[in-house]
Amino acid sequence: MRFHEEHHGVYFDDLDAFRILHNARYLLLMERTIGSFWHHLGWGTIADDADNPDQHHLVRAQEISYERAVRGTGKVRCRIWIERLGTTSLTIGFAILPLDEDRPHARGTRTLVKIDMVHHKPIPWTAEFRERVAPYCHDTPPPASDG
């Protein structure tokens, strides 16, 4: 299983009153890494639906566990991978890591659901999407149906 990883700066305005990374910033770093992942796969901008029919999705759930604080300014890594690829959903796993070790500051998941933009109902990911994200999937092959 592959993963996608980005380095991010932690700046003074990212810190809370205790000079540790504010809890909301962890999700922002994950969000930026997901954007970088889409760009890496060739889906970096809002495109015509014919060019990227899988671009319409909503966040169904997020979960994060804060393992140990990021103290002060500097840099961290955010690593993402695909935990589960369902028929209409995708669960992304992530970890916020220091630059020099794989012991996470935080870890969690985000579940996306692909939707039809007219009816706002879940619809299946395309075969092209499945093929492009397959190397990053923790659970292969993908399940036949979604819950």
Side-chain angles (χ1 to χ4, degrees):
M1 172 192 74
R2 275 197 222 162
F3 57 83
H4 179 78
E5 191 171 272
E6 284 293 319
H7 290 205
H8 297 283
V10 175
Y11 303 99
F12 179 76
D13 61 346
D14 294 319
L15 306 179
D16 67 12
F18 300 106
R19 288 181 269 190
I20 62 174
L21 184 61
H22 188 278
N23 65 78
R25 299 294 201 207
Y26 292 82
L27 294 172
L28 177 63
L29 297 175
M30 179 264 301
E31 180 78 36
R32 289 178 177 163
T33 304
I34 291 172
S36 169
F37 178 63
W38 297 140
H39 187 74
H40 171 74
L41 293 177
W43 299 311
T45 61
I46 296 175
D48 185 293
D49 287 346
D51 296 330
N52 183 3
D54 295 293
Q55 68 183 317
H56 304 295
H57 51 265
L58 300 173
V59 175
R60 182 170 82 192
Q62 288 187 142
E63 183 179 311
I64 187 167
S65 172
Y66 301 98
E67 308 290 327
R68 60 189 182 131
V70 174
R71 299 185 182 282
T73 60
K75 289 192 176 253
V76 294
R77 298 177 291 149
C78 183
R79 178 180 294 173
I80 65 169
W81 60 91
I82 309 247
E83 279 287 326
R84 181 178 181 277
L85 177 58
T87 302
T88 63
S89 68
L90 172 77
T91 300
I92 298 170
F94 71 92
I96 306 295
L97 304 155
L99 296 181
D100 60 349
E101 62 181 318
D102 283 343
R103 193 171 138 230
H105 290 290
R107 66 177 82 215
T109 59
R110 171 183 278 185
T111 300
L112 304 173
V113 176
K114 182 183 174 193
I115 61 163
D116 171 283
M117 282 302 289
V118 175
H119 301 102
H120 297 125
K121 301 285 184 192
I123 58 173
W125 300 105
T126 63
E128 178 188 2
F129 179 87
R130 291 178 168 288
E131 183 179 320
R132 288 170 89 174
V133 302
Y136 300 91
C137 287
H138 185 270
D139 72 336
T140 52
S145 65
D146 227 18

